[in-house]
Structure formats: C-alpha cells, structure tokens
Amino acid sequence: MRPRAAPACEHRGVSRLPPVHDTIAAIASAPGVGAVGVVRLSGPDAYRIADALFAPRRGGPPSARPAGRVVYGTVVDGERVVDEALLLTFRAPRSYTAQDVVELQTHGGPAVLRATLDLCLAHGARLAGPGEFTLRAYLNGRLDLLQAESVLELVNAQTDGARRNAALGLGGALGARLDGIQSEITEAYAAVQAAFDYPDEGVPEARLEAPLERSLGEVRRLLSTAAAGRLSRQGARLALLGRPNAGKSSLLNALLGYERSIVSDTPGTTRDYLEAPLVLAGIPLTAIDTAGIREAGDAVEASGVEQARRIAANADLRLVLIDGSEPLTADDRELLVSLPAERTLFVVSKRDKPAAFPERALELPGGARPHAVSALTGEGLDALKEAIAATLLGDAAGTELWITQERHVAALSAVEGHLERALGLAASGELDLVSLELQDALTALGQMTGRHHVAEEALASIFAAFCVGK
C-alpha cells in the first residue's frame, strides 16, 4: 500500500533531526486549487525517481540530461498518464539543498499533486518533514542559521515591511552585522591572550576596551529594534478612545482609506467595539473603534464603556480624541487624566471647524503635545500616521534591519551581558575572567548564526515551525 501524501503546510512537531542522506519529497506549493503546483524531490535518488515517473516528450530520461534544464513531458504511473508537467533539474552542490534536486510543475489541483507525490513516495522517497529542505540547505552549508530563519519569515511575511526585513536577513545583512561584532570581540580576546604570553607589556586600552565598547554599542543598537521586530511579526493593537461623537469612527475611516465604521452625529452610535486591519510603516495594526467613554445612561452603554477601558489598558498604542469644535467637558478632562502619556497620543479632532478652545487648555500628561486632525479634509492625517509609526517603532524608526526572533533577542542579550561584565573586569585588571566572558560571548554569537554547535533539540524546534515542502 502506498504511503499517503501530507498537506503542503501540515505542521508536525519534532524533537530530533531527521536523517539527511536519504531522498525526501513534498508538495512545495500552497494548499488549495491553483494554476500550477510544485512537487519537490531532494537527495541521492531524486533523478532515479524522476526517471521512473516522468516521461519527457522528447529526448532521454532526466538523469541523462544536463542540469539546469526545463523539460516538458508527462507524469506517469506505469502506462497511465497523471498530468502534463514541466521538470526542473538541479545537480549537487548547485541547488537549494546542495543535493540533487528535481521539481515537478503540474497543474495545481489537489488530486494531481497528491497523485504525483504518492508516486514519488512509491518509488522510494520519504515524505519530508516541516522545513526539511531548508534544514538540509543549512546542514550542507548553503545557508547559515540566520538565513534559514529568514526563509520562514519571507514565507510568513504579511506586510511589505516584514518582507523587506526578511529579505535583508536572507541576503546576509544580519550575518554581516554579527560578523563585525565577532571581529571586534575576537580582537579583544586576542589582546587578552597576548597579555598572558607577555604579562609585562599589559593590554593597551585601544586593543581591549575600545573594541569591546564598539561591539557592545552595536549589540545594543540591534537589541533596540527588537520591539519593532516583534510588532512586525505579531502586529499591534491601536485603540481609538474618546467621549461619544468625538470623531473616532471618522478618524478610523480616514486612517483606513475606506468606510468601515458607521459615522453619525447621534452620540452613542458605537455601543460595541469594531476592529479593522491597517498597515503603517511595515507594522500590521488592528485599529479598534471603541464605544464613547462617558457617564453611562443604561446597562448596555455601561458595558461598552467598561469594555473600551479594558481595550485601552491592553492596547499597544492609544489615540485619545478630543472634539476640537466643542468646549471641553468633564468627560474629556476625566479621560485625559486617567491615561498615562506612555503609549498614548492625544488628538484634537474636527479641525475643519472653528476651534472651541486653545490647545494649551488641554493640560496633557507629561507635557505631551496634541495632534490636530480633520478626518473630513485630511489635515494633519499624515503627521498623525508618522507619529503612530514613530511611537510604535521607538529607536528602530528609520532603520531597515530589525531583530524579529526571540531566539536572537536571547542570544544578543547574553552577548550584551558578557561584554558588560568583560568591560568591568578589564577595568579591574582581571584578565583571566575577561577571557572567559569573551569566550562565552563568541559562543553565544556562534549559536545565533549556527557556526557554533547548536543543540539538536534547538534546531528541531526552529525548523518545526516551517511548512512541509520548504
């Protein structure tokens, strides 16, 4: 009985690494119906299996052809034709996995792809596990671990910003930054080792403390992007707050660029919260239009107000709206003093109408300055978007490469700690302990890139997050 093909993106938890010298196969295109589907083979028997199930329209079998060619033919099961297909061939080591690789491009129907994959398995291939093609690329030296993780980020990227960041990682940008840090630490470590051999000469500050300070500064710059990296991957929640009829729904529609929320002059139109997706500066946001906050007139409205306050407490960023066309009310003042300036932007809305009060009358917490906006004319909208992005990104604003993986944050934090301790020990002349801290810092960097020993369980965990077929 033939083994059955698994869905292309079935995630399967693994605790240890699979073998790497057999031949694996998987559907490499997304689940569902499509114009074209891809079945991928990698390993020493890839060409033998291709010979058995692919009949070229002209010429000899795939194994007899030069690599790097596209061949037209049919996928066959004995005398039975499964589908027309294109065959792409790659010879080791010039392939994604650095092994012999064959890809079959068929029509994208699920039945065709399952039948083609079943044939691969029947002829001796093993069904690939999650991320096993990329794992082989890493183990065979085609990618370092940072680049392998960037492949997953590219596959999962939901915004153009996330795609750009992943592409930078795949292109080696993060690896190059870490190589620079490693060079600085290695220079300092060499100076310490030289001092052991020639103790009378000591260690010049320029050869020890200067490179350590430079590397520590670079580590901290990378870590400062971690919050933005997390938001780019997980998204952020943006809550719009204010008393009834303050312009929250109109502002939400203006930010989105389309009518998502009902706008009415009748106070209390929004009794429940409403969510809508939005992307700013490469960060996916969930914008939340909440019920107006005021002294509630009934139980339903009271529930909406309480819900709005809970959403405000859990949001990554709050926009507090004050209607600039009407005098300040007690509800306005109560809301302003109830929220800290941290993670809060204050907005004076309806600036297309005559102002009912000067901005200085707001007395915002922390000396914050309000953003004047008209959802009707668009006045101040671009500046508000920039302020939202700048507040969410923090020190990462204006930088291209963000740290997005928790594993990387942990490793860089460890390096930071080792470098801080090394600098403190260097100042007191304890070079033997400095040497140990620098060794540990280099080890943490090497585990981050995969150039130092990485535990099998850690690698299995990393690649388990991939789809089958990648």
Side-chain angles (χ1 to χ4, degrees), residues 242-246 248-249 262 264-272 290-294 298 300-301 305:
R243 63 179 172 83
N245 212 28
K248 300 183 296 299
S249 298
I262 297 175
S264 171
D265 291 334
T266 304
T269 301
T270 303
R271 306 290 289 260
D272 197 357
T290 64
I293 297 177
R294 66 174 177 180
D298 55 54
V300 175
E301 187 176 12
V305 171

Side-chain angles (χ1 to χ4, degrees), residues 212-266:
L212 290 184
E213 288 173 350
R214 288 194 296 269
S215 57
L216 180 58
E218 182 68 357
V219 167
R220 286 172 173 166
R221 280 187 287 274
L222 286 173
L223 282 173
S224 71
T225 69
R230 177 182 59 81
L231 292 177
S232 73
R233 193 162 44 88
Q234 300 178 359
R237 293 177 68 79
L238 175 69
L240 280 69
L241 309 166
R243 63 179 172 83
N245 212 28
K248 300 183 296 299
S249 298
S250 295
L251 180 58
L252 174 63
N253 291 338
L255 289 172
L256 295 174
Y258 62 90
E259 297 294 322
R260 174 66 178 89
S261 186
I262 297 175
V263 177
S264 171
D265 291 334
T266 304

Side-chain angles (χ1 to χ4, degrees), residues 300-368:
V300 175
E301 187 176 12
S303 177
V305 171
E306 180 58 31
Q307 190 176 61
R309 294 189 185 277
R310 285 198 301 270
I311 290 171
N314 295 321
D316 295 286
L317 183 62
R318 299 174 286 256
L319 298 185
V320 177
L321 274 68
I322 303 296
D323 186 345
S325 67
E326 295 185 1
L328 290 171
T329 68
D331 288 326
D332 289 327
R333 297 188 187 280
E334 190 276 332
L335 181 59
L336 291 176
V337 299
S338 67
L339 295 172
E342 182 185 7
R343 297 188 295 118
T344 304
L345 293 176
F346 299 94
V347 179
V348 176
S349 62
K350 304 183 183 180
R351 270 314 193 201
D352 50 287
K353 297 181 179 180
F357 57 86
E359 290 182 359
R360 63 178 181 275
L362 288 177
E363 299 180 359
L364 299 179

Side-chain angles (χ1 to χ4, degrees), residues 108 110 189 197 206 224 234 242 268 301 352-353 380 412 421 428 441 457:
Y189 182 71
D197 295 331
S224 71
Q234 300 178 359
E301 187 176 12
D352 50 287
K353 297 181 179 180
L412 286 170
R421 288 189 290 275
S428 59
E457 293 80 4

